Amino acid sequence: MNLGYKKYKPFQPIALPDRTWPDKTITKAPVWCSVDMRDGNQALVNPMNLEQKLEFFQMLCQIGFKEIEVGFPSASETEYEILRALIDQDLIPSDVTVQVLVQAREHLIRKTFEAIDGAKNVIVHFYNSTSTLQRKVVFNTDMQGVIDIAVEGARLIHRLTEEMTAHNDINIRYEYSPESFSGTEMDNAVLICDRVLEELGATPENKVIINLPNTVEMSTPNTYADQIEYCCRNMKHRDAAIISLHPHNDRGTATAATELGVMAGADRVEGTLFGNGERTGNSDIMNLAMNLYSQGVDPELDFSHMNHIREVYERCTELKVHPRHPYAGQLVFTAFSGSHQDAINKGVNFMQKEKSPYWEVPYLPIDPADLGRQYEPIIRINSQSGKGGAAFVMHQSFGYVLPKAMHPEFGKLVKKACDQRGREISPDEVFQIFQEEYLDVSEPYNLLTYKIFEEDGGSGQVIVDFEGNVRHHHVTKAISGKGNGPIDAFFNAIGEIGLNNYQFVSYSEHAISTGANSQAVSYIQLRHDGETLFGVGVDSNISVASIKGIICAINRNLKRNGEEES
C-alpha cells in the first residue's frame, strides 16, 4: 500500500506497570444490556419497522436480557413511536428495564422524558463526546467546555426525574457515557465521570451507570483493559458507580477487549447479538455469553434455541449470520477435515464408553445439543474428508458400524465421488455409494437358495453342512460343503466351483434394527493374491449375512480386477 501507513499515529498506551487484571478470571456473568434495537438498528440499511422491533424485543426478553436499549426516541418519530407502543401496549415485562439514549442537549432530553412517561423501569442514558480528536475537530472546545455540557445535561435530567417521579410510579436510573472514551486522556475521563456522578447525586445505595465505550477500537485489547482498570482505581466515587463497557469492533478484537475489560473491573456489558452495529459492529453478547458457558460459568442468558434466534435476527435485520460465526454459524459444529473427523468420532465414542459427566470431544468446545443443534450433522463429507468421516456418517445416520480396517477402503470410494462431483456430498449420497458398492452387488455370483444344518461329527464335535445353488451369469450350479461353522462350510462349498484362492481374514457383525424386523449386518474381510478387500451382507440370519458378505467380497474383487473365475 505504498507508504500510506506513515500517515497513521500509533496509539499511546497509558502507564500502568502494576496492572492487576492479567491475573483475574471471570467467574460470574456481568450485567448484560442489549443495544440491538438502538445501536444495531441504526446500523441497518433498512431499519426495523414497528412489527419487527416488537418481535425482536420479545425475543431478547425470552433470551433473558433484563436491560434493553430500545431506541433514541428524540432522534426520530419512528423511534419515539416504537417506545410508546412498548409502554402503551404494556409489552415490557415487570423485571425488564428499557434504556433510552439521548445526547446531552436540552431539547433532546426533554423530548426523551416525554417518550418515557408511563413506563415502569427506565435507564436514561445520556452522553457527549470527550476525546482529544473530537474536541479539536468537531466541537472546537477544551476539556472544561466538554465537562460543562455533561454537567448541565446531568443537572437537567436530575430535575426532570424529580418532576416526573412526583406524580408517576416510575423507577428512573441514570447512565452516562463519555463517548469516544478510548481516545480521551484518562485523567480527563476520570474527572468528567466524577463530576457527573456528583451532579446526579450518586451513592453506593443509588448507583449510576458509568459507561466507558470503546467507541472506536484504537488499540490492542490489553490497552483498553488498562484504561478500565485506571478509571476504576482513580475515580473518587467508584463505589457509587456501575462500570459498564460498550466496545466496538474496528480492529476485530471486541470480544477480547470486553473480556479483558471485565477482568479489569467492569460490572456490565453493552452489546448486540452476533455483533451487529455501526461500522464493524459492537461486541457480540452471544459470543461473550457462550464463552462463559464453555468455561462452566452460568451466562444468565439462554441460547438453547440458537437456530430460532438466528432466524429471527436474520429476518428482522436482513443481515446474515456468517456460517463460521462462533457458536451460531451453520458450519461451526461441522468437520470436513479427516483428522478432525477422526478425533470427534473417538471423542463421542469415549464419552459413551466412559459415561463422563464432562464434555470431552476434541475440536468441539461445547456440546451442539446445548444450543438445540443435536440433530445437525457434526461430520460432513467433501474432498478434504478423511477415512473416518464417511464411517462416522454411516454410523450416526444409518446405524452401520464399519470395522476400522474397512475405513480406508470405503473412505477412498467416498473421496473419489467427492472429487468427481466437485462438491460436498450428503449423508444420503454417502449411503448410496455404500449400497451400490456393497449391498447391491449380485454379479457375477448370486446365491439363489441355501440350506444350513448341523450334524454330529462324533467326539462332541459339531459339523455344519451348507447346501445351495449359485448362479454364475446364466448358469446355475449346485454347491455343498462341510466345516466347523457356516463360514468354513461355505468356503469349502465354493471351492468346488473354483473359488478357492480366497483366504478368510476377519469378520464383524451387529444388528442394524430392533424388534421383529431386526436385521444383521456382517462385514467380511478376505485376502486374494496378497490384497485384502471387504464384503458386506445383510440378512435376518447372521450366518446368512456372513455368507452374503463373502459373496459380495468375491464379486467386488472380480469386478475390480476385471477377472472371471470358474
Side-chain angles (χ1 to χ4, degrees), residues 431-446:
F431 185 79
Q432 183 180 9
I433 294 167
F434 181 82
Q435 185 165 24
E436 291 174 354
E437 187 68 29
Y438 297 101
L439 302 183
D440 293 343
V441 180
S442 59
E443 293 180 348
Y445 289 94
N446 187 19

Side-chain angles (χ1 to χ4, degrees), residues 338-355:
S339 60
H340 288 205
Q341 291 174 343
D342 182 62
I344 290 172
N345 193 10
K346 289 176 178 175
V348 171
N349 291 336
F350 172 84
M351 290 190 62
Q352 292 174 345
K353 178 182 177 182
E354 299 294 327
K355 294 181 171 49

Side-chain angles (χ1 to χ4, degrees), residues 21 85 167 178 195 258 283 291 304 310 326-327 408-409 426 434 545:
W21 63 260
H167 58 83
R195 287 290 292 112
T258 306
S283 193
N291 282 358
S304 60
R310 188 178 67 208
Y327 304 107
E409 178 182 288
S426 68
F434 181 82

Side-chain angles (χ1 to χ4, degrees), residues 274-485:
F274 313 119
N276 178 32
E278 293 279 25
R279 304 183 310 279
T280 55
N282 290 282
S283 193
D284 180 355
I285 285 187
M286 180 282 299
N287 196 166
L288 293 162
M290 292 310 304
N291 282 358
L292 291 179
Y293 186 86
S294 72
Q295 300 302 303
V297 176
D298 181 1
E300 300 178 16
L301 294 174
D302 183 1
F303 290 100
S304 60
H305 297 89
M306 186 68 79
N307 288 345
H308 170 71
I309 294 170
R310 188 178 67 208
E311 185 272 327
V312 172
Y313 168 85
E314 292 184 335
R315 177 160 39 78
C316 291
T317 65
E318 299 180 18
L319 297 175
K320 291 294 182 183
V321 175
H322 194 280
R324 296 292 182 190
H325 194 104
Y327 304 107
Q330 289 183 336
L331 298 179
V332 295
F333 296 118
T334 298
F336 292 101
S337 163
S339 60
H340 288 205
Q341 291 174 343
D342 182 62
I344 290 172
N345 193 10
K346 289 176 178 175
V348 171
N349 291 336
F350 172 84
M351 290 190 62
Q352 292 174 345
K353 178 182 177 182
E354 299 294 327
K355 294 181 171 49
S356 171
Y358 297 104
W359 179 254
E360 297 180 293
V361 177
Y363 299 113
L364 294 180
I366 68 168
D367 184 351
D370 293 346
L371 302 177
R373 300 182 63 176
Q374 62 266 45
Y375 300 114
E376 298 179 20
I378 292 175
I379 288 181
R380 289 164 61 172
I381 306 300
N382 65 12
S383 60
Q384 304 301 306
S385 303
K387 58 190 179 183
F392 184 89
V393 168
M394 289 298 298
H395 184 192
Q396 292 294 107
S397 299
F398 306 105
Y400 285 78
V401 185
L402 277 58
K404 189 171 183 61
M406 189 179 172
H407 291 187
E409 178 182 288
F410 184 56
K412 185 176 180 181
L413 295 170
V414 173
K415 183 178 179 64
K416 180 180 178 182
C418 290
D419 287 332
Q420 290 173 340
R421 301 174 195 187
R423 60 172 173 80
E424 175 193 4
I425 63 174
S426 68
D428 286 340
E429 289 176 304
V430 172
F431 185 79
Q432 183 180 9
I433 294 167
F434 181 82
Q435 185 165 24
E436 291 174 354
E437 187 68 29
Y438 297 101
L439 302 183
D440 293 343
V441 180
S442 59
E443 293 180 348
Y445 289 94
N446 187 19
L447 180 63
L448 299 177
T449 62
Y450 57 87
K451 181 167 64 173
I452 302 172
F453 55 95
E454 298 178 355
E455 60 178 287
D456 186 359
S459 301
Q461 291 184 336
V462 175
I463 297 176
V464 176
D465 289 86
F466 178 90
E467 296 179 359
N469 291 291
V470 174
R471 183 168 61 202
H472 180 231
H473 292 306
H474 301 293
V475 178
T476 299
K477 300 180 179 181
I479 59 173
S480 63
K482 298 178 183 292
N484 56 20

Side-chain angles (χ1 to χ4, degrees), residues 484-523:
N484 56 20
I487 292 176
D488 186 41
F490 182 70
F491 263 109
N492 292 330
I494 61 177
E496 297 180 355
I497 54 176
L499 298 176
N500 48 19
N501 294 322
Y502 292 89
Q503 292 82 45
F504 176 79
V505 177
S506 66
Y507 91 102
S508 61
E509 50 85 12
H510 64 83
I512 53 174
S513 58
T514 58
N517 298 320
S518 178
Q519 295 273 292
V521 58
S522 179
Y523 308 94

